[in-house]
Amino acid sequence: MLEEAKRAYEEIFEVIEKHGDLCVFNVVNLKREAECHIFGLELKEKYGLNFKEKIYSIDYICFGEYMHIARWGEKYNRTISWSDDDTQPNDEVLLSVSFPTGPYIFGKDYPREFFLKFFSELQKYNPKYKDSTNYTLYYTLDNAKDIFNNLDKILDKYYKINKEDCIRRKIIKLEKELEELRGKEEK
């Protein structure tokens, strides 16, 4: 479908250019929409990303709360804040998987150890760049398919595990508080 769409848009724009004097369309907007459509098809067909959203940009696209595809590099004013190895993308299209609130996604008690297990699993999908300080991983489009298509399942798995772990953490906290109260009582 990607190649078919490219050919169709080429034909459409040839006709529009041929009859430009009679055309009342905003050709710039039409070309931008066509470019977005083709980019969306490319993400699906060439890179295997499964999504239903319509693509409205080729520069920055949100896929839910935690995933974005964007053009990275200085020319886009988009760089990695705290790259683990100080490397920076140079004119690259990358999938970023980011958890700016870190462990808070699993509870107000900030379960850091639990979150780091989750974050470690995401790193097994081989991101090209890492910003561990801001809990963000960056994947090339060639390597984005598995993490893109499986992130929701991974999150669901950890949310389920977290329900049990949350109870365990609360028990530990309450036992500690009880121990402190008993210590005060004995004084």
Side-chain angles (χ1 to χ4, degrees):
M1 190 151 149
L2 174 61
E3 294 306 316
E4 189 179 330
K6 284 180 180 179
R7 283 190 299 278
Y9 284 126
E10 284 175 16
E11 290 175 22
I12 290 167
F13 290 116
E14 281 178 20
V15 170
I16 288 174
E17 286 176 25
K18 182 179 177 183
H19 301 286
D21 296 344
L22 302 172
C23 185
V24 296
F25 301 111
N26 183 328
V27 178
V28 173
N29 285 348
L30 286 175
K31 284 184 177 181
R32 181 73 176 175
E33 285 187 46
E35 190 176 20
C36 291
H37 181 228
I38 287 172
F39 185 57
L41 290 173
E42 187 177 350
L43 291 174
K44 289 178 181 180
E45 293 181 21
K46 182 176 179 183
Y47 299 108
L49 308 185
N50 296 327
F51 61 90
K52 294 179 182 164
E53 295 88 355
K54 183 176 178 184
I55 302 300
Y56 293 99
S57 172
I58 61 163
D59 298 317
Y60 188 87
I61 310 160
C62 291
F63 292 97
E65 190 173 351
Y66 305 114
M67 288 193 298
H68 305 85
I69 290 179
R71 296 183 186 279
W72 288 83
E74 286 189 26
K75 85 181 207 181
Y76 302 104
N77 291 319
R78 215 174 269 125
T79 57
I80 298 171
S81 301
W82 290 86
S83 174
D84 288 8
D85 62 3
D86 293 327
T87 59
Q88 289 290 332
N90 183 19
D91 195 14
E92 295 178 63
V93 179
L94 300 168
L95 167 70
S96 64
V97 177
S98 184
F99 301 91
T101 62
Y104 283 121
I105 69 166
F106 294 119
K108 292 179 183 178
D109 62 331
Y110 199 77
R112 190 169 195 282
E113 285 180 35
F114 182 79
F115 176 80
L116 291 177
K117 287 179 190 173
F118 162 73
F119 197 68
S120 177
E121 183 167 333
L122 301 182
Q123 292 183 57
K124 292 177 184 174
Y125 288 83
N126 301 315
K128 182 173 182 181
Y129 304 100
K130 299 176 189 177
D131 177 352
S132 297
T133 303
N134 293 300
Y135 304 116
T136 305
L137 303 170
Y138 302 86
Y139 302 86
T140 63
L141 290 183
D142 289 327
N143 192 35
K145 176 183 164 183
D146 290 335
I147 190 67
F148 184 93
N149 295 336
N150 291 309
L151 183 63
D152 288 340
K153 292 174 195 162
I154 296 167
L155 272 167
D156 286 345
K157 176 178 96 173
Y158 277 88
Y159 283 137
K160 287 175 186 170
I161 295 169
N162 184 54
K163 282 184 182 180
E164 296 168 15
D165 197 56
C166 186
I167 292 168
R168 183 191 62 79
R169 293 190 311 261
K170 191 168 186 172
I171 288 170
I172 291 170
K173 180 183 174 196
L174 291 173
E175 283 176 344
K176 186 177 179 182
E177 287 178 20
L178 185 59
E179 193 175 298
E180 288 173 6
L181 286 172
R182 285 190 177 135
K184 290 178 183 179
E185 183 181 61
E186 292 172 1
K187 289 182 182 179

